[in-house]
Amino acid sequence: MRASLLAGTAAAALLAVLALAGPLALPDPDLPDYAAKLLPPSAAHPLGTDQLGRDVLARLASGARVTLGAALAVTTLGAAIGVVAGGVAGYARGPVDAAISRVVDVLLAVPSTLVALAVVGALGPGLVHLVLAMSVAAWAPVARLTRSHVLTAATRPDVVAARMAGVGRGRVVLGHVLPGAFLRVLAVAALGLGETIIGLSGLSFLGLGAQPPTAEWGQMLAESRYDLASSPWLLAGPGVAILVAVSAAGLLSDWLGERL
Amino acid sequence: MSIDVKRPFLAVALLASLAACGAQEPVAQARLRVVTPYSVKSLDPIKQGFWASEWGYGELLMRPTERGTVEPWLLASLSRQGESAWTLTLRQGVRFQSGRTLDAVALKELMEAHLARNPAVRSALEGAKVAVTGPLAVRLETAEPVANLPSLLADESMFSVFDVASGTFTGPFEVKSLDSRKLVLARDPGYWGGKVRLDGVEVRFVPDGQARTLAVRSGEADLAFYPPTDALRTLKGDARVSIREAALATGQLRGFLNVRKAPLDDSRVRRALSLAVDRKELAETVMDGFYRTPSGVYPEALPYSVKNLRTELPAAERLLEEAGWRRGADGTRARDGRPLAITINAYSPQPDTKPLAVAMQAQLAKAGFLVKVAEVPENYAAMRSADGWDVGLSFDGSLSYGFDPVAPLAQMMRTKGPRNLGGIADPGLDQVIDGLAGAFEPAERDRLLREAQRVAVEEQAYHLIVVDRVPRVVAGPRYRDYRPSSVLLHLDASTAPCGDSCGS
Amino acid sequence: MSPALEVSGLSVTYRDGTRALRGVSLTVEAGERLAVVGASGSGKSTLARAVLGLLPRGALAEGSIRTDGRPGYVAQDPFTACDPLRTVGHHVREAWRAAGLRAPQGAAEAAVAALSLEVAALAEHPHQWSGGMLQRASIAAAGALSPALTVADEPTSALDADLADEVMAALGRSAGALLVITHDLRLAARWASRVAVLCEGGVVETGPADRLLADPRHPHTRALVAALPSASGGRAAPQGPALVEARNLARSYGARAAVRDASLAIGAGQVVGVHGRSGSGKSTLLRLLAGLEPPDAGTLRLPERRPGWVMPVFQDARASLDPLWPIWRTITEPLTGLRAARRRARAVEALASVGLGHLDPRTRPGRLSAGQCQRVAILRAVMAAPALVVADEPTSGLDTVAAGRVAGLLREVAEGGTAVVVVSHDLDLLGGLCDDVHEIRDGVMTP
Amino acid sequence: MRRLLRLLASAAGTLLAASLLVWGLAELSPGDPARQVLLSRGVAVPVETQIEAVRAELGLGDAAPVRYARWLGGALTGDLGSSWRTGRPVTAELGERLPATLRLCLTAVALAILPAFALAFAGALGRHRWPDALSRGVMFAGAAVPSFLLGVALLEIVVVRWGVGRVVADGGWADTPLPAATLAAGIVAQWARVTRGALIDAASAPFADVSRARGSGELRVLLVHGLPHAAPPLLAVAGMTVGGLLAGAAVVESVFTWPGVGRLLVEAITARDLPVVQGCVLAGVLAFLAGAVAADLATRAGDPRL
């Protein structure tokens, strides 16, 4: 398990460096240079250039900000909504719980990609719409987890003991319920992050997410699919990036899961 | 690592595919396989009649040629009788696939059917009447003079020729089957025009551009129509396929200019805009030569064309100075504190508009324009609002598919024309356009067209012509000498594989 | 005749470096019954696994184990030892199949019939059987191939006391030589001819059961014997006014009456035991006393209503501590008013007072043994200065030594002037600990 | 029987709630349905009276509950409206595309089962040794390689370079293997993980030790005791994946131009053809629920305790 933590952190750090240091060290990812179209990898362009002569590494870095940023936004938004909704359902019980649980049931009864497709279908393609759409699908599992955590918390021996000792409700929630919930949510979110990256880039690949010239990894792959035979480096960059990002999320989630 | 385990089912997949390929009947030597993005939705000769002439199962009364002219096709002759009447005389011996002869009665029936149900025909020939005047001759009388009737009869969206009784056509091919995926055609053995060289044609509808070109590369298809520019670029240097192009550029990427608001309400700014765009760089460098550099609104081969498009940065700057736009410190021009800012709309269904707009952004910056590139889902819809855009890119030909220059002009530039999206209201130009409707003499027509070009391009620069688009196909080895039609007449009796001469 | 089992100089080191056995030598003669007794962590399970050839991958075994053929095996919990998705018949017949043989016609039926089990029930699944019967089926399977040796690992610890004897009798009937692994010295004495005491991976004392009980020589054996609750039990109940008095309590869940009629009076400094089998209503009674739920009928007189006047001690000690909290926070949780440093100091004091002074107060429960967890839980209860402590099966799952320590601690709590109620199915425990033991059966309590 | 009824009732409730969401999404969507309908009828620049007529025809002036009830009533009787793009009934469009998707998904499932079990057994048998590491690596890669990347690569290498199979699939059996294999690659990892976990759980249970003590080898333990325990979780996941394949198939179908429901959905989204989007999503929900119910029933049938 140590190994998964190390490998996951290393991969995540690599991507973070790419995303954050990219704009400082690399050329403008969106500026076309018609004189330098489709150059193979070289010292000046470590990953070559694309159809418009843009530096692929720079676009990869810019895409890291877009893809990972969007995926993190989805995951964070989903986790935040899920924790609040699940917490409210678990504590309020009664009709509030019933209403929230019903919505969660329905969302969980539909594959998340389908939910995302449905929402994008209604709002229209676009990265912002896609992020919203995927967040709609992402909050349900977190809500269910939080709710069951809160519900079982009431009968957990350590909580009963604390309540009997006179510890206030709020302190019990802060001290006993939330920290455990937080770790669980984190593990679920990390797992979801990988799926979100795949889903996001997949839908962008289909043209339902980021629109050109935004350098989103799936979008970059969509732009370059024609060039696989002649300029394979165009696919290698974003392809490997997605692979690394999803693996990093999976490894970290594994590690978190083992800790619980 | 992954190969080790995936190999078993990959192998299964391969074996199954191999078996499937083996099971397919060997492709007949003279059978053409085509992939195209647009599906033939039905065989309705009026609503979907234009497919008939495109795919060779139907024909037209007049034929647009590759020189930009029209000539009789199913007609033997077309002659004018006074201001608003024409005599149409049919060729002898033309038969429908049902066996019925195309005679004057059949022609009258089909023309009346079109006049009743075809909106394009109805709006062009409002109130027209057809009368049989001989075994092969009918007289067409129109309410207004229609000078462009030859072009109308050559336009695929107008009079598709069909047998009203049986719904069959006259083309070299018969429709064997049609569903949402493919159209299957077979040679009509009784074709009036003689021997049809191909045994049959299979037209598959494949919306995905990548898949179409891949299909030719993999040998599944012989011709891929409407290849995306992205795909063409990657085909350069692939010996298995060739990119074939038509003679004439019938489509253009043009910018509709929003002349209702500043800064493009000033003709000097519009002219400066046109002078600042380097069309050669756009067509040859940005688009890798897959577009052509336009010299005017119409193809140079046409008698009335005027070469009046040029790139001259100093002249553009002079015009802008004259109009009061002065350069600021950052190079952007401004007047009364407001920058010379314009928004160019690219539209997603035509992905090429985006890089072209971006490249124009850089070119126009040299003249002092501050350009914002916006992307809209639908070009016309975005231009319907009077605000929010200055240049709306759109692929719109200056010629109809019957080589008619007048109808596009009237639609796009006449005051309140249905496609006059930028709000052009120019009484002088309107007068020229109205004159064209009654100009039967070629000399008179050409004079008026030149006048229209002078006003629309040189004086007022109402549209920004960007690049010319030539129809292209990607052809496999057996069709490497296939010549795409400029006007979408993809197949005829002489279409055939190239035989031994190009097999090597 | 050669011995059924001969272990000599056996040392086992696990992959993580833990040394579970150090030079153990044992012999079980044909027909002999040897009990190996030890506290948890003494290595007795490792010994059983080594004999059965079930040591995990990477464990290093030195020395030698000689058996006469493959031993039969009876595991601790019959329900987990049988595949829940397979029938009991499958479980019994697997004795032949696993050895690569075909079960002779009727052999499985004969084996279970010999232990007075119903043959027809072989087609049922384990969850339809009772624990005692299922364990006897396992014994029948273990003896199916007439092995020279049968290894039984805590064969009765999952069963109620009155079923244990039945099972041990069955084991005695069907096995040749027997190696019983147990923490229960009394059980060992009753059923084994010889007892070996295992401590920290080594055999510290071997001898006839009677002698070992009467005259333990090794200090560890002495500790084990001392920890045995004395069956005679019964202390003089200290006189005093009843602190808590319950009369004719009743509580139902839907149609099911959990407690029908229970009356109880507990005075300060008194330990009252409630004995009953599982499902007899004792846990519900405890919840009523703790005020966790209201009774449907009857009266409950309590001295006061301040928070912390009644504190619980739970059955699953580890689950009753927050896994993310260092133990000092858990122990001093009732002291909500104090600052952290002060609380930590109090926790250190408290830990020292129950012999856990060596523990780092920052340790989390995951690193403690179950017995240590239970002592921490009792400290938390005491910290609230309760008038009443209610303990639900406080020693279940603990080895004898740890159970003895927990019982002793509860006694000390009572001596400090607190009333204590303990419910358990273990009469031995209650007898040794309580001033007064009541029995509850089907929700009705008899004094 | 009562359990089955309760299960179906719960699924129906979920379906009803999902239908409300699907309908509501379309309501939230920007754009005027009347204009879209006119566009599908070939009227690009409608005049106000035409728009009014279509609005009346579609009942757009009615209150929301009335519109929902009408829509639901239509949906229950198989009328999901007409496509804005083609003007054809949505059910006809779906019906035309469904067989190809079913064929693709079923083949993918069939292709996935064996490798999934092979990986799971390799992992469980060689636990903590190289076969386990290898199978975990393959599972990780399978989960991390996006299907569109795999599909594009397979298309280029297998079809274009080697000339095996076809680029333009017509949805028949002959074209199925390659897209099905692409779809299966993602499923294999998921199934193998679940199966491996269940196998290892069963193999470390006390009854497995009993079996070993009686002389069973590891393989026998896994086959006799592991498989029955791996079946329920695998069935549960399989039910969900099969039901959810429609959404996953959208990507694969688009890459391989597979004429299925998934691509129909993507095309409809791009064309803003809301009735078709609604129809596809509803079909997806239905498939998913059917998968879940089937998995639940199978699980119950396989476990005597339930």
Side-chain angles (χ1 to χ4, degrees), chain C residues 15-287:
Chain C
R15 188 140 74 167
D16 64 359
T18 316
R19 194 124 195 245
L21 291 179
R22 308 155 189 269
V24 170
S25 297
L26 278 175
T27 308
V28 182
E29 298 297 340
E32 190 194 18
R33 293 171 195 166
L34 174 73
V36 174
V37 177
S40 64
S42 63
K44 57 188 197 297
S45 292
T46 304
L47 178 64
R49 299 187 73 85
V51 170
L52 292 164
L54 293 178
L55 287 178
R57 178 178 306 284
L60 182 68
E62 292 158 289
S64 76
I65 301 170
R66 281 215 354 255
T67 56
D68 185 6
R70 185 181 292 283
Y73 173 40
V74 178
Q76 180 169 7
D77 180 348
F79 287 110
T80 61
C82 293
D83 189 335
L85 302 183
R86 300 279 189 182
T87 61
V88 179
H90 179 275
H91 174 62
V92 174
R93 288 187 192 99
E94 196 184 33
W96 282 274
R97 290 198 197 120
L101 305 170
R102 280 181 64 134
Q105 193 70 38
E109 288 78 359
V112 297
L115 293 177
S116 14
L117 293 168
E118 259 186 76
V119 171
L122 279 180
E124 293 177 349
H125 285 88
H127 69 279
Q128 292 161 294
W129 282 48
S130 76
M133 279 162 59
L134 197 58
Q135 191 66 311
R136 277 189 278 154
S138 285
I139 291 169
L145 296 174
S146 315
L149 173 74
T150 297
V151 177
D153 185 2
E154 304 271 13
T156 62
S157 68
L159 305 175
D160 281 352
D162 46 348
L163 291 172
D165 282 342
E166 254 174 57
V167 163
M168 287 310 294
L171 199 53
R173 276 211 301 283
S174 79
L178 189 60
L179 176 69
V180 182
I181 307 287
T182 181
H183 69 278
D184 187 342
L185 199 52
R186 207 182 296 278
L187 179 95
R190 214 159 43 236
W191 292 100
S193 42
R194 216 152 48 91
V195 174
V197 178
L198 206 57
C199 177
E200 293 179 351
V203 175
V204 293
E205 190 170 359
T206 315
D210 301 343
R211 199 273 295 158
L212 220 68
L213 264 186
D215 178 21
R217 288 176 195 160
H218 191 271
H220 184 72
T221 318
R222 277 204 284 274
L224 278 178
V225 172
L228 280 179
S230 75
S232 52
R235 294 160 201 252
Q239 297 303 310
L243 186 69
V244 177
E245 199 170 356
R247 274 181 203 281
N248 311 106
L249 292 182
R251 172 80 177 151
S252 312
Y253 299 104
R256 193 176 64 80
V259 171
R260 286 191 288 181
D261 181 13
S263 300
L264 193 66
I266 315 157
Q270 213 180 7
V271 183
V272 172
V274 178
H275 173 252
R277 289 201 187 184
S278 58
S280 57
K282 58 186 196 299
S283 295
T284 305
L285 175 65
L286 207 60
R287 295 177 64 78

